Amino acid sequence: MKNVVQSVLFVLAVLTVTQTWAYSPIDTLPKFEFTAEEIPAYCDKVLAAERAEIAKITAKNLSEVTMQDIEQLEDLDADTTVQLYPVYLIANASTDENIRKNGFECHKKWSAQSIENANNEKIFNIVKAVKQSSTFSSLSLQDQKLVNDYYTGFQNSGMTIEDEKLREEVKAAQKKLSILTTQFSENINNARLKLTFTEKEMDGIPENIKQSFARDSESNYIVTTSFNSDFKPFMQYANDDNARKRLYLAYVNRANPVEQNETNNLKVLKEILALRLFIANSLGHKTYVDMQFATGAKMAPSVATVLTFLKELRTSLEEGLEEENNARKKIKCQMLSTCSGDQWKDLELNAWEVPYYNNIWKQQLTNVDPEEIKQYFPIRHVTKAMFEIYEELLGIRIRKVEGQYVWHESVELYEVAEAADGTTIGYFYLDLFPRDGKYQHAAIFPTQKRREFRSAAAYIDGKTYQKGDVRYPAVVMLANFPAPIIKDGIETTPSLLPHDNVTTFFHEFGHIMHGVLSKTKHYSQEGTSVARDFVEAPSQMLENWVWKKESLQRLSKHYQTGQVFPDALLQNMIKSAELGNASHYTYQIFLAETDLLFHLAEGPVNTSKWFNERYQRLMKTNQPEGSNRVASFGHLTGYAVGYYGYLWSKVFAEDMFTRFAGDNLFSPTVGMSYRKEILEKGGSEDAMTLIKNFLGREPNQDAFLKTVLKQ
């Protein structure tokens, strides 16, 4: 079972009850309302029911097994998600420390039981019986893909290992790995550190930003390690080099506190890499990378192909990176009383200096101030305009839903419906601002995927569904955009988005649309259940709209004057973005290669030392002594051997955007084609097939190279 064995979705029994209810789309929303005390018992009840139901399913005679039995297992996956995924969501979003703690403990139990199911020989025999049956070849391609994915998952869990002792060791390693990956993420979520800075140390920071910071009893400013709201603007504007270095070290070490020597993320990561290597070796693979590529679940044909792609791209960027670093060194020289003339050539760049000098350099050449730009992007207007663009392109309507439970007062719920007749398609939640203990980046959580009921009735948490009824998708966006400035309970300044946050918003909302609009036969092929190195492409394509004059005129509205984004400022902003292009993509390549090379290692790796040395070698910039930035590289868990996918998928994203060129930027015809050929089909077909069908031709790299290399 693909979802079970890969620890993504977990099997759970259908809870049969006698209560009935009046079916309506809004009533299918998942349950998010839990107290900390309720979670352990709820979680245990769900998992106990799962064990009982699996026993019933596996009692069937193998000679009688059919594709319907596979579908029944998949339906259980769907029911698990709607009951336990919301617990995982609030573990990442709640302000209650005990809810977060119990939520993550539930997730660990869930993962452990998933691994037990992944090693359940009776379940494997059901999948194997269908795959080896005489009727398998006559199944639809979607059915065959489902069975093959499940079978491959069981292989990766160790079910084909003949040595029973080794198989048990692999299972134990998988359980330990699941606990550690959750711990790694939890450590990052909980690490929102607070530092204090004097008025002098705040010199250079614009007044409106300073006003957003709290003050302590001595009137010092309290600055946190929250990236968008605090860390980023401080690093861009603070003139005090030592103050920037102090905040930088706190930020990169936030998930690796010295006082937590046994649970800090460097130690956790070391164990994660060792366990992954052990599992891969036990399954007959030289490295964990080899194991991941052997499944055939990626677009890229081999890791060698990926490494060549990354190296060639990095080589093409080297000249541009050198030019950009030289420009930063010249700025540094201008600001040092001891430097003049050509002495800039002898200077070195440090990681805590780059954002600061970068900001000055860009302002000198383009007269673009990020603080000026964000005044044109108040989040309420951006949200409204973004909705309208997606509505126009995809033939949908979005409306806010009131009166439903949300886990924080700032969270908003929306319905997506067909523009033509108002038929409900699905729902999404927006949770956009930082809080203590909350997930610290921007991501989509598919708490409930679309499910059309195949059986006459199913009873989940007291809800009765008839055959053909639909449980509607409900997707959650967690982000950490700058919050509104509140003084004495009154909003004095709305949330204003830097342009890169507008890009992130558009990108993540693309994932929401992928999750909500997907409509496949099989639940496990819905939405973003696609090849890991393709999953970003649909959203990356949509980022292009935030750089086009026509869409920026709709997305922008100065929060004070109401003016739209000026043409001259747009041209300067584009030029400003291009100034750091080589650095941006070289850093993405560095992270992608870091992920791959850690997992290509055939023994222990000193991850922090390796990260810092390679960073200096590729970026030509020093990390400070004591830096452990790798400890907060969250993608090493959920995106293991997959970070390269951001660049790999961008090749296809830029190519797909060519269909919207010219007068087609807001074309409903092209937009509907995109919806039908890419979004709705989810992972039901091979990604390359989807791309070819949408483009009407073979894809190529031309648009990608033009974007990245400015050719």
Side-chain angles (χ1 to χ4, degrees), residues 273-274 276-278 280-281 285-290 596-605 610:
L273 294 176
R276 284 174 175 165
L277 181 60
F278 169 74
N281 291 163
H285 303 287
K286 189 175 182 181
T287 69
Y288 189 70
V289 171
D290 295 322
L596 290 172
L597 295 175
F598 277 177
H599 290 100
L600 279 168
E602 298 177 36
V605 178
W610 193 96

Side-chain angles (χ1 to χ4, degrees), residues 33 50 159 189 213 239 316 320 450 463 533 566 593-594:
E33 190 172 6
E50 178 264 335
M159 284 303 297
N189 286 356
F213 296 125
N239 290 327
S316 300
R450 183 182 184 276
K463 300 174 183 178
D533 48 6
E593 290 179 333
T594 296

Side-chain angles (χ1 to χ4, degrees), residues 366-515:
T366 65
N367 198 31
V368 169
D369 181 357
E371 286 305 298
E372 177 188 5
I373 289 176
K374 76 180 189 181
Q375 293 178 25
Y376 288 91
F377 298 113
I379 197 167
R380 292 191 189 93
H381 178 78
V382 171
T383 302
K384 178 178 179 292
M386 180 180 70
F387 286 175
E388 291 171 351
I389 290 173
Y390 275 91
E391 287 175 333
E392 187 173 342
L393 285 170
L394 302 176
I396 59 175
R397 288 293 176 265
I398 300 170
R399 72 172 185 88
K400 189 174 180 180
V401 178
E402 304 282 3
Q404 297 294 315
Y405 174 82
V406 291
W407 50 92
H408 188 267
E409 60 186 9
S410 65
V411 177
E412 296 179 338
L413 169 64
Y414 294 87
E415 178 197 53
V416 180
E418 293 286 0
D421 59 13
T423 303
T424 300
I425 303 172
Y427 298 89
F428 64 87
Y429 296 80
L430 297 182
D431 184 350
L432 302 179
F433 305 120
R435 297 188 296 275
D436 286 346
K438 180 183 172 183
Y439 180 82
Q440 293 194 11
H441 300 287
I444 300 305
F445 291 70
T447 53
Q448 181 169 290
K449 295 184 180 181
R450 183 182 184 276
R451 178 189 172 189
E452 183 171 341
F453 283 79
R454 290 181 271 228
S455 58
Y459 305 88
I460 308 298
D461 286 345
K463 300 174 183 178
T464 304
Y465 293 87
Q466 302 302 320
K467 181 178 181 181
D469 281 349
V470 174
R471 187 164 61 208
Y472 292 84
V475 183
V476 178
M477 179 194 295
L478 296 185
N480 288 270
F481 299 137
I485 297 176
I486 308 293
K487 297 294 184 182
D488 299 323
I490 300 173
E491 180 179 295
T492 58
T493 307
S495 169
L496 301 174
L497 299 182
H499 185 260
D500 60 350
N501 282 188
V502 179
T503 304
T504 298
F505 202 1
F506 236 80
H507 175 102
E508 297 300 337
F509 197 75
H511 285 313
I512 285 180
M513 290 294 97
H514 206 172

